[in-house]
Amino acid sequence: MRIWLSIVLTLFTMSVSAATLTLGRGIDAIAINGEMLPHNTQKQLSLQSGEYQLIIRFDQQMKDGSRKKQFTSKPYVLSFHVSGDMTLLAPLSTREYRKMAYAFRDQTPQWQLKDGKGETIAFTQVVLPGKSGFAPYQDMPAVVAAFYQQPAAAQPAQQSLKLAPNSESEALRQLKLWYEQATPADRQAFAQWLAQQ
């Protein structure tokens, strides 16, 4: 009897801690935490609570005047914390090629990561660096592997940090993350700045 009870409790605990990440229209998941995902992955990923790096790109056929044209963005690495169900949406809800191209023009598109209540979730994003030359993302497994072989200091600077409004715990988590990555000189400069505030 105790064995069955422990099995049931274990299964219940596992099901409670799982979260679902739903990908919006046109978003393709390429890899998660360095592990390649099968091509044409489902639009829902089941994740446990914790830190994740998701490599995605926007890829969809769109209207360009009276004809259709394929829009494919560069791949982006999104880093975020999973604590419950989430939805990742494209920067714009449009089917027009020119509008979507404009949203990606400066390589900092405004992806939307929302929790189950529709509130914004904090994340960082960087463009996945491709190989030099023609077709930089032709061999995606090699590009992803090369990105994860870089030492943390050599990885590209975080281009965009989105903090959830009125979320002190998330802001504190981000501050701690950046403080841990800072050099001793940066920490001292930050402490001096903080004392002046």
Side-chain angles (χ1 to χ4, degrees):
M1 182 67 177
R2 286 184 187 177
I3 294 173
W4 284 107
L5 183 58
S6 65
I7 291 173
V8 169
L9 286 175
T10 302
L11 290 174
F12 179 75
T13 304
M14 287 173 51
S15 67
V16 168
S17 64
T20 301
L21 173 61
T22 304
L23 303 176
R25 181 177 51 86
I27 299 176
D28 290 337
I30 299 168
I32 191 156
N33 290 347
E35 297 293 322
M36 295 298 294
L37 295 171
H39 189 62
N40 295 328
T41 300
Q42 308 91 353
K43 291 296 180 177
Q44 292 190 333
L45 302 172
S46 182
L47 306 173
Q48 298 296 319
S49 293
E51 299 295 321
Y52 286 90
Q53 280 192 326
L54 179 66
I55 300 177
I56 59 167
R57 76 170 143 216
F58 185 83
D59 188 24
Q60 185 171 339
Q61 197 171 56
M62 311 200 75
K63 288 187 208 175
D64 187 26
S66 61
R67 58 191 174 117
K68 292 189 176 185
K69 189 174 181 181
Q70 190 71 23
F71 179 86
T72 303
S73 73
K74 290 184 177 183
Y76 289 82
V77 182
L78 274 56
S79 301
F80 53 91
H81 178 79
V82 171
S83 60
D85 291 346
M86 304 157 64
T87 303
L88 178 63
L89 301 171
L92 288 177
S93 178
T94 184
R95 298 194 69 101
E96 293 184 40
Y97 183 90
R98 275 185 267 136
K99 288 182 180 179
M100 192 59 75
Y102 187 77
F104 282 87
R105 74 192 176 286
D106 59 1
Q107 299 183 6
T108 56
Q110 301 299 309
W111 301 100
Q112 301 171 44
L113 188 58
K114 308 257 181 195
D115 65 12
K117 297 176 185 174
E119 304 219 359
T120 302
I121 297 174
F123 66 93
T124 59
Q125 72 179 15
V126 295
V127 175
L128 180 67
K131 293 181 177 180
S132 60
F134 180 72
Y137 300 105
Q138 182 68 29
D139 186 6
M140 190 59 76
V143 172
V144 170
F147 177 77
Y148 281 99
Q149 288 174 353
Q150 296 177 15
Q155 288 186 6
Q158 310 272 318
Q159 292 183 349
S160 177
L161 177 64
K162 300 182 182 199
L163 295 178
N166 302 326
S167 177
E168 291 180 12
S169 62
E170 184 62 29
L172 182 60
R173 189 179 72 77
Q174 291 291 329
L175 284 170
K176 287 179 180 178
L177 173 75
W178 285 109
Y179 187 80
E180 290 171 357
Q181 294 178 358
T183 64
D186 290 338
R187 289 180 182 184
Q188 185 178 15
F190 178 73
Q192 290 173 351
W193 174 84
L194 190 59
Q196 294 173 355
Q197 301 303 315

